[in-house]
């Protein structure tokens, strides 16, 4: 039995995620792409992973530079998600969406207003199916505005948090790290 890409997208669409913009440097030029395929992989050493379609425009830049940053978006940054996903807007993705940014501690582009950012060095690239998995060591991370609600993605639409409640995990101590 084969599962079509549509069936897989529909099923996986029920798995709600946050939304990030992954940034990299092409020489001195910042580039960015919207990504929700992000996973935390290891705490010691600190490793995360992103999955990119091998045809994404930013793949050659990340392959050449061996570095990327993950910027976790707030609800107010939905326009950045659209633009960095290649929406027909002005300024467009070729112009870094006109997004305000600053160099992080490793020099990677960090978007102003991101809830959190992680600056990474690629440790392993795994070509898998039509995607490439980039396992990377986190060299620096920064917390922005804790109170800002994250932009969420669910069933191919943005999901906004209204009247949200949170609940403790059974048997786990509360920790600021979350
Ligand atoms: C919310 C959201 C999440 C996305 N997550 C990913 C992802 O994890 N990996 C990926 O390769 N593309 C992802 N995309 C798609 C790319 O951002 C977008 O299709 C791509 O930038 C199109 O440009 P390109 O194919 O010219 O590079 C996502 C798009 C959106 C809107």
């Amino acid at each position: 039995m084969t599962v079509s890409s549509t069936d897989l997208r529909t099923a996986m669409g029920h798995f709600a995620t946050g939304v990030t913009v992954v940034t990299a440097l092409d020489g001195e030029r910042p580039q960015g792409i919207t990504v929700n395929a992000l996973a935390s992989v290891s705490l010691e050493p600190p490793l995360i992973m992103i999955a990119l379609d091998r045809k994404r425009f930013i793949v050659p830049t990340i392959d050449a530079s061996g570095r990327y940053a993950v910027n976790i978006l707030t609800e107010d940054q939905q326009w950045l998600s659209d633009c960095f996903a290649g929406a027909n807007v002005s300024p467009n993705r070729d112009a870094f969406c006109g997004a305000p940014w600053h160099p992080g501690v490793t020099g990677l582009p960090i978007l102003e207003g991101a809830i959190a950012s992680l600056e990474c060095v690629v440790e392993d690239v795994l070509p898998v199916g039509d995607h490439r998995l980039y396992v990377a060591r986190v060299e620096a991370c920064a917390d922005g505005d804790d109170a800002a609600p994250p932009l969420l993605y669910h069933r191919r639409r943005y999901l906004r948090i209204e009247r949200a409640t949170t609940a403790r995990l059974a048997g786990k101590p509360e920790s600021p790290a979350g």
Side-chain angles (χ1 to χ4, degrees), residues 52-175:
L52 290 177
D53 187 306
R54 63 175 181 231
K55 297 202 194 87
R56 296 288 179 241
F57 84 101
I58 206 165
V59 159
T61 303
I62 295 179
D63 284 348
S65 64
R67 300 191 300 150
Y68 63 81
V70 175
N71 296 268
I72 301 175
L73 299 187
T74 67
E75 283 185 354
D76 292 344
Q77 294 176 314
Q78 185 177 315
W79 65 281
L80 288 174
S81 171
D82 285 334
C83 181
F84 282 110
N88 187 14
V89 293
S90 178
N92 65 13
R93 189 170 64 180
D94 293 340
F96 202 62
C97 300
W101 65 280
H102 63 270
V105 295
T106 72
L108 283 162
I110 303 303
L111 295 177
E112 302 295 347
I115 302 177
S117 59
L118 302 99
E119 297 174 62
C120 308
V121 173
V122 176
E123 295 242 321
D124 266 310
V125 185
L126 308 167
V128 182
D130 55 9
H131 274 57
R132 291 168 73 74
L133 307 186
Y134 292 92
V135 178
R137 179 187 290 259
V138 182
E139 302 262 285
C141 52
D143 263 346
D145 180 0
D146 264 353
L151 181 63
L152 301 181
Y153 191 62
H154 179 237
R155 300 184 72 191
R156 308 191 75 189
R157 293 177 67 90
Y158 296 118
L159 178 67
R160 291 179 167 270
I161 300 173
E162 284 179 46
R163 296 189 296 278
T165 60
T166 64
R168 286 186 67 155
L169 273 71
K172 301 268 185 196
E174 295 270 271
S175 86

Side-chain angles (χ1 to χ4, degrees), residues 4-15 155-156:
S4 71
S5 54
T6 310
D7 291 346
L8 182 58
R9 276 174 175 223
T10 304
M12 287 303 294
H14 293 280
F15 188 61
R155 300 184 72 191
R156 308 191 75 189

